[in-house]
Amino acid sequence: MQTEQEILERLKQTELSILIEVAELCDKYKLKYYLMGGTLLGAVRHGGFIPWDDDIDIAMPRADFEAFQEIAARELPKSLFLHYGTTDPHYYLPIIKIKKNHTVFQEENISAKVRHSGIFIDIFPLDDVAKDHGAFFHIKGRIIKQLKGLLFLKENAKTAAGNIGIAKKLMLGLARPISTKRVFSWLTGIMKYGQNEDAPYYVNYGSQYGYQKQTMLKEIYDPAEVVQFEGYNFKAPKQTALFLKKIYGENYMALPPVEKRITHKPTRIQFEEE
């Protein structure tokens, strides 16, 4: 019987192997990508994974994000699956997950209808935005937030029933006749609306930290720098300290209290060999 720590370490190694494949493909075709979120924080603070963390996040500018899908369809190894709204009509997230075939990472409240439940890494799109303030900026951000929530409810209403209030149930009822694929198309269309490579900001609408915190000047990202993560070199935002301060605050190098050192808490993990 494996201990929880042994399982976590195997999970990290599987995710790292996926990241290596993705990064090599990006480098081959000169696609931009950056370590993000806890992955970047781990690289800076720990030289790799945050000890209790169990996921890997990267981001790509929208043009590279779209190009990656076409390239991956041809060149990803057969051991990996690109999970997105274009490959699964029941997929509801505005981000790509690259998943390891013949593995399982079953998360709580996630519907069995979702096509693939393998161990994964996340790829977030970075969309162009002209301002980090103003009525249009906030209206667009809030519409995207509502559509993300609606998509989750449409696919996971049965498993997440205990967490759904009256307002959400009403919204879900009104949207029931509309397919997940159609709502996903609306969501991604709104996210991409107004794309202009001359815009000064990137926004990561897929992030759990919210669109305001995740709107940053492109000069914070480019040109990317190289950081070490688990003994390998990967790309990261140029102004890493500014990036991490915006997300985690001035004391991002300090360890959080023990009660906040949490994982995704999967209900089941299965590795390829099992």
Side-chain angles (χ1 to χ4, degrees):
M1 179 74 71
Q2 295 181 90
T3 66
E4 287 189 11
Q5 189 60 39
E6 287 172 336
I7 292 171
L8 178 59
E9 291 307 315
R10 288 185 69 186
L11 176 62
K12 289 177 180 180
Q13 289 306 308
T14 302
E15 293 170 348
L16 179 60
S17 71
I18 300 172
L19 176 61
I20 291 168
E21 293 280 3
V22 169
E24 286 179 351
L25 206 53
C26 289
D27 290 340
K28 178 179 178 180
Y29 287 95
K30 295 181 170 53
L31 300 180
K32 292 181 180 179
Y33 77 90
Y34 317 89
L35 299 188
M36 298 288 283
T39 308
L40 180 59
L41 178 59
V44 171
R45 196 169 68 192
H46 305 276
F49 283 99
I50 295 173
W52 55 89
D53 201 8
D54 64 355
D55 71 346
I56 287 178
D57 297 331
I58 67 172
M60 298 180 184
R62 175 64 70 171
D64 301 272
F65 182 87
E66 301 292 348
F68 177 80
Q69 294 179 61
E70 296 181 14
I71 293 166
R74 303 189 308 266
E75 299 202 25
L76 267 185
K78 291 182 179 180
S79 61
L80 300 178
F81 174 69
L82 187 149
H83 206 177
Y84 191 55
T86 53
T87 61
D88 181 357
H90 293 290
Y91 190 76
Y92 53 87
L93 295 170
I95 67 173
I96 289 171
K97 288 181 180 285
I98 303 296
K99 298 188 171 182
K100 184 80 169 178
N101 290 325
H102 311 300
T103 66
V104 174
F105 187 93
Q106 187 64 53
E107 297 180 82
E108 191 176 7
N109 296 332
I110 302 302
S111 169
K113 290 187 295 182
V114 174
R115 178 178 170 185
H116 198 303
S117 59
I119 295 169
F120 61 88
I121 71 167
D122 291 330
I123 305 178
F124 294 81
L126 298 173
D127 289 301
D128 300 326
V129 62
K131 297 180 180 180
D132 63 350
H133 62 279
F136 179 77
F137 171 76
H138 290 295
I139 290 169
K140 182 178 177 181
R142 287 163 186 164
I143 290 172
I144 288 169
K145 180 180 179 180
Q146 292 302 316
L147 286 175
K148 285 166 59 181
L150 176 59
L151 277 168
F152 177 83
L153 289 178
K154 281 183 68 64
E155 289 301 321
N156 300 288
K158 291 182 179 179
T159 52
N163 300 320
I164 299 177
I166 294 175
K168 288 183 178 179
K169 286 181 180 178
L170 177 61
M171 182 172 68
L172 181 60
L174 293 172
R176 200 177 301 279
I178 307 169
S179 70
T180 294
K181 188 173 182 179
R182 176 65 61 86
V183 180
F184 183 87
S185 177
W186 292 346
L187 172 60
T188 54
I190 293 170
M191 289 171 68
K192 292 189 284 187
Y193 179 78
Q195 291 296 300
N196 178 359
E197 64 179 18
D198 293 327
Y201 294 90
Y202 283 137
V203 57
N204 179 358
Y205 287 118
S207 171
Q208 63 174 324
Y209 298 112
Y211 69 93
Q212 295 182 72
K213 188 174 281 191
Q214 284 280 16
T215 300
M216 302 189 199
L217 287 166
K218 292 180 179 179
E219 64 190 39
I220 289 177
Y221 286 88
D222 293 318
E225 68 170 17
V226 174
V227 297
Q228 277 219 331
F229 183 86
E230 297 295 329
Y232 294 87
N233 289 331
F234 297 106
K235 304 291 177 55
K238 175 186 176 184
Q239 299 184 49
T240 301
L242 277 178
F243 182 96
L244 292 173
K245 285 177 184 177
K246 180 84 181 285
I247 303 300
Y248 299 106
E250 292 288 335
N251 296 323
Y252 65 87
M253 291 297 286
L255 295 179
V258 173
E259 63 271 16
K260 292 189 176 181
R261 301 177 190 180
I262 57 175
T263 69
H264 281 81
K265 295 184 179 178
T267 57
R268 184 164 75 95
I269 296 177
Q270 176 182 305
F271 296 99
E272 191 172 13
E273 312 84 52
E274 299 172 340

